[in-house]
Amino acid sequence: QGHAISIEVWHDKNLVGGLYGIDLPKKKVFCGESMFSSESNASKVGFHYLVTELERKKYKLVDCQLYTAI
């Protein structure tokens, strides 16, 4: 149904980070489920890209489950 989405971060043809979650576009809500990285901060690059896209689409909420200082 297209609700599960993933963001991948690549460096030199290697997958180095990413995240996935549930997208609820009618409600303008994204629920993050998990992030991973094999290079420092790679998942944060993917998260930044995602948030930029969600802001552009006027989303109201990103549920990232755990606050961490940048």
Side-chain angles (χ1 to χ4, degrees):
Q1 294 182 352
H3 293 293
I5 64 168
S6 65
I7 305 294
E8 300 173 350
V9 179
W10 293 82
H11 182 248
D12 293 333
K13 298 185 180 182
N14 295 309
L15 180 63
V16 296
L19 61 118
Y20 70 92
I22 305 301
D23 186 23
L24 303 171
K26 291 181 182 176
K27 296 183 184 250
K28 300 290 187 190
V29 172
F30 178 81
C31 302
E33 294 299 322
S34 187
M35 299 173 75
F36 84 94
S37 61
S38 60
E39 288 189 14
S40 183
N41 296 317
S43 61
K44 291 178 184 174
V45 171
F47 187 69
H48 174 72
Y49 170 81
L50 173 67
V51 169
T52 300
E53 287 298 303
L54 296 178
E55 285 177 334
R56 184 181 63 77
K57 295 176 181 179
K58 307 285 190 224
Y59 270 56
K60 298 176 185 175
L61 177 69
V62 175
D63 172 12
C64 59
Q65 300 177 4
L66 178 65
Y67 174 79
T68 55
I70 294 177

